[in-house]
Tab-separated table of all heavy atoms in Angstrom:
chain	number	residue	atom	x	y	z
M	30	HIS	N	8.650	-3.545	9.698
M	30	HIS	CA	9.307	-3.795	8.341
M	30	HIS	C	8.183	-3.928	7.274
M	30	HIS	O	8.307	-3.390	6.213
M	30	HIS	CB	10.012	-5.104	8.305
M	30	HIS	CG	10.741	-5.421	7.090
M	30	HIS	ND1	11.783	-4.688	6.600
M	30	HIS	CD2	10.460	-6.398	6.157
M	30	HIS	CE1	12.187	-5.210	5.420
M	30	HIS	NE2	11.320	-6.157	5.140
M	31	ARG	N	7.002	-4.555	7.614
M	31	ARG	CA	5.931	-4.679	6.703
M	31	ARG	C	5.323	-3.348	6.410
M	31	ARG	O	4.954	-3.079	5.246
M	31	ARG	CB	4.893	-5.680	7.226
M	31	ARG	CG	3.702	-5.937	6.357
M	31	ARG	CD	4.164	-6.779	5.175
M	31	ARG	NE	2.954	-7.008	4.433
M	31	ARG	CZ	3.012	-7.124	3.020
M	31	ARG	NH1	4.144	-6.857	2.385
M	31	ARG	NH2	1.957	-7.252	2.341
M	32	VAL	N	5.095	-2.515	7.467
M	32	VAL	CA	4.640	-1.180	7.181
M	32	VAL	C	5.434	-0.445	6.294
M	32	VAL	O	4.950	0.283	5.308
M	32	VAL	CB	4.356	-0.448	8.582
M	32	VAL	CG1	4.110	1.049	8.403
M	32	VAL	CG2	3.362	-1.083	9.319
M	33	GLU	N	6.730	-0.414	6.432
M	33	GLU	CA	7.624	0.284	5.577
M	33	GLU	C	7.555	-0.274	4.058
M	33	GLU	O	7.577	0.495	3.137
M	33	GLU	CB	9.063	0.288	6.092
M	33	GLU	CG	9.323	1.086	7.264
M	33	GLU	CD	8.863	2.576	7.185
M	33	GLU	OE1	9.163	3.135	6.180
M	33	GLU	OE2	8.164	3.011	8.078
M	34	GLU	N	7.522	-1.601	3.953
M	34	GLU	CA	7.430	-2.195	2.605
M	34	GLU	C	6.214	-1.705	1.902
M	34	GLU	O	6.101	-1.314	0.761
M	34	GLU	CB	7.408	-3.717	2.685
M	34	GLU	CG	8.683	-4.386	2.972
M	34	GLU	CD	8.542	-5.872	3.122
M	34	GLU	OE1	7.360	-6.390	3.304
M	34	GLU	OE2	9.593	-6.543	3.044
M	35	LEU	N	5.030	-1.765	2.677
M	35	LEU	CA	3.807	-1.366	2.082
M	35	LEU	C	3.828	0.200	1.755
M	35	LEU	O	3.136	0.510	0.712
M	35	LEU	CB	2.622	-1.720	3.031
M	35	LEU	CG	2.347	-3.102	3.176
M	35	LEU	CD1	1.413	-3.412	4.409
M	35	LEU	CD2	1.639	-3.612	1.862
M	36	ARG	N	4.348	0.965	2.483
M	36	ARG	CA	4.462	2.422	2.257
M	36	ARG	C	5.253	2.631	0.950
M	36	ARG	O	4.860	3.354	0.035
M	36	ARG	CB	5.118	3.151	3.373
M	36	ARG	CG	4.233	3.455	4.479
M	36	ARG	CD	4.879	4.247	5.570
M	36	ARG	NE	3.866	4.475	6.688
M	36	ARG	CZ	4.300	4.789	7.988
M	36	ARG	NH1	5.501	5.076	8.199
M	36	ARG	NH2	3.460	5.044	8.848
M	37	ASP	N	6.351	1.865	0.831
M	37	ASP	CA	7.141	1.989	-0.366
M	37	ASP	C	6.330	1.445	-1.567
M	37	ASP	O	6.369	2.104	-2.648
M	37	ASP	CB	8.381	1.137	-0.301
M	37	ASP	CG	9.456	1.741	0.751
M	37	ASP	OD1	9.290	2.864	1.139
M	37	ASP	OD2	10.327	1.001	1.141
M	38	ARG	N	5.682	0.373	-1.528
M	38	ARG	CA	4.789	-0.145	-2.608
M	38	ARG	C	3.822	0.786	-2.893
M	38	ARG	O	3.530	1.055	-4.208
M	38	ARG	CB	4.151	-1.543	-2.081
M	38	ARG	CG	3.344	-2.183	-3.187
M	38	ARG	CD	4.060	-2.556	-4.379
M	38	ARG	NE	3.228	-3.174	-5.376
M	38	ARG	CZ	3.389	-3.102	-6.596
M	38	ARG	NH1	4.363	-2.424	-7.137
M	38	ARG	NH2	2.494	-3.740	-7.429
M	39	ILE	N	3.095	1.396	-2.067
M	39	ILE	CA	2.058	2.427	-2.345
M	39	ILE	C	2.670	3.627	-3.118
M	39	ILE	O	2.075	4.016	-4.142
M	39	ILE	CB	1.268	2.880	-1.091
M	39	ILE	CG1	0.402	1.709	-0.496
M	39	ILE	CG2	0.476	4.124	-1.344
M	39	ILE	CD1	-0.128	1.864	0.827
M	40	SER	N	3.895	4.121	-2.638
M	40	SER	CA	4.526	5.197	-3.371
M	40	SER	C	4.799	4.823	-4.789
M	40	SER	O	4.598	5.643	-5.698
M	40	SER	CB	5.777	5.510	-2.647
M	40	SER	OG	5.529	6.094	-1.351
M	41	GLU	N	5.291	3.610	-5.031
M	41	GLU	CA	5.525	3.074	-6.392
M	41	GLU	C	4.322	3.034	-7.268
M	41	GLU	O	4.352	3.429	-8.376
M	41	GLU	CB	6.188	1.740	-6.346
M	41	GLU	CG	7.613	1.572	-5.719
M	41	GLU	CD	8.047	0.227	-5.423
M	41	GLU	OE1	7.356	-0.787	-5.856
M	41	GLU	OE2	9.130	0.060	-4.836
M	42	LEU	N	3.241	2.509	-6.630
M	42	LEU	CA	1.976	2.452	-7.316
M	42	LEU	C	1.338	3.786	-7.716
M	42	LEU	O	0.863	3.992	-8.852
M	42	LEU	CB	0.934	1.605	-6.555
M	42	LEU	CG	1.290	0.133	-6.562
M	42	LEU	CD1	0.358	-0.559	-5.510
M	42	LEU	CD2	0.989	-0.544	-8.001
M	43	VAL	N	1.575	4.727	-6.794
M	43	VAL	CA	1.113	6.130	-7.087
M	43	VAL	C	1.929	6.715	-8.240
M	43	VAL	O	1.360	7.386	-9.196
M	43	VAL	CB	1.179	7.065	-5.861
M	43	VAL	CG1	0.963	8.482	-6.153
M	43	VAL	CG2	0.027	6.587	-4.856
Side-chain angles (χ1 to χ4, degrees):
H30 182 69
R31 183 69 179 143
V32 166
E33 291 305 315
E34 284 179 347
L35 288 164
R36 285 181 178 163
D37 291 345
R38 178 68 179 142
I39 289 168
S40 293
E41 291 169 8
L42 288 166
V43 168

